[in-house]
């Protein structure tokens, strides 16, 4: 009844230095790499959205493999063969990076989620920057495993 589909997180850096990520299927990754090698613009469908990536604007990219924490395995209900874009749309909905935010500015502690793992994000209450404390690793919370973010970069 359920099928495992593999999707990969591709992180890329624009020539301007801006980093971004996108989730692509193995077939989409192959298509992207061919477009990148040949300098052709890449257009694909992710869910109900059309996404275009111009290789001329990409400084570098990385596709996270099965040994990376960025690789995802998602269980989705099998859909008819003619509805493949629904699979990827559902995969996007399942991606959830849990965070535990401990803001020392407004003394708020909460568990939230992000689209992808970031080194810096913002407290939802006071909007001050909070930083990922990688030394803590992934911690247990009431909602599951989460990355720890706090106001102080030095906290361990």
């Amino acid at each position: 009844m359920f099928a495992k589909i593999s999707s990969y997180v591709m992180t890329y850096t624009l020539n301007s230095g801006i980093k971004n990520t996108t989730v692509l299927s193995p077939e989409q990754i192959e298509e992207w790499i061919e477009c990148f090698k040949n300098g052709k613009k890449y257009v694909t469908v992710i869910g109900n959205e059309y996404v275009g990536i111009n290789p001329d604007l990409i400084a570098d990219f990385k596709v996270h493999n099965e040994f990376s924490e960025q690789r995802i395995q998602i269980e989705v209900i099998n859909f008819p063969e003619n509805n493949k874009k629904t699979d990827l749309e559902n995969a996007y909905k399942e991606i959830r990076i849990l965070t535990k935010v401990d803001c020392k500015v407004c003394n708020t502690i909460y568990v939230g989620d992000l689209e992808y793992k970031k080194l810096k994000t913002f407290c939802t209450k006071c909007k001050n920057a909070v930083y990922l404390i990688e030394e803590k690793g992934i911690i247990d919370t009431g909602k599951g495993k989460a990355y720890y973010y706090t106001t102080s970069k030095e906290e361990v």
Side-chain angles (χ1 to χ4, degrees):
M1 179 140 165
F2 287 97
K4 292 223 185 235
I5 62 167
S6 293
S7 293
Y8 294 88
V9 175
M10 180 177 82
T11 303
Y12 58 92
T13 306
L14 298 174
N15 294 333
S16 64
I18 296 172
K19 283 192 170 203
N20 201 358
T21 61
T22 189
V23 177
L24 298 172
S25 70
E27 295 82 18
Q28 289 171 316
I29 293 292
E30 287 178 26
E31 291 170 4
W32 158 248
I33 290 172
E34 280 304 309
C35 288
F36 187 81
K37 285 178 182 176
N38 298 320
K40 294 181 181 176
K41 292 182 175 111
Y42 175 69
V43 178
T44 190
V45 176
I46 299 176
N48 293 326
E49 298 175 347
Y50 289 89
V51 176
I53 305 172
N54 185 347
D56 294 338
L57 302 177
I58 306 292
D60 61 39
F61 71 93
K62 178 179 180 181
V63 177
H64 302 278
N65 64 26
E66 65 268 16
F67 302 108
S68 169
E69 64 186 40
Q70 294 295 327
R71 176 163 156 112
I72 55 175
Q73 285 272 349
I74 300 168
E75 286 189 1
V76 294
I77 298 171
N78 282 329
F79 291 100
E81 193 63 31
N82 63 355
N83 205 356
K84 286 186 177 189
K85 71 179 185 178
T86 306
D87 287 345
L88 197 52
E89 183 179 44
N90 287 341
Y92 259 118
K93 289 178 185 174
E94 293 295 322
I95 298 172
R96 198 171 110 191
I97 305 295
L98 279 180
T99 62
K100 180 175 182 179
V101 175
D102 184 0
C103 182
K104 305 295 184 186
V105 175
C106 66
N107 293 320
T108 301
I109 299 173
Y110 63 91
V111 176
D113 62 334
L114 296 171
E115 294 174 12
Y116 55 91
K117 182 179 160 186
K118 300 178 181 182
L119 296 178
K120 172 183 158 186
T121 189
F122 299 92
C123 174
T124 57
K125 184 175 180 185
C126 69
K127 308 298 183 217
N128 274 305
V130 289
Y131 302 92
L132 173 64
I133 307 300
E134 295 198 69
E135 293 81 17
K136 282 226 181 206
I138 298 175
I139 61 172
D140 289 318
T141 69
K143 293 184 179 181
K145 304 266 185 197
Y147 290 99
Y148 182 74
Y149 288 79
T150 190
T151 315
S152 169
K153 288 185 187 179
E154 290 77 36
E155 184 174 317
V156 176

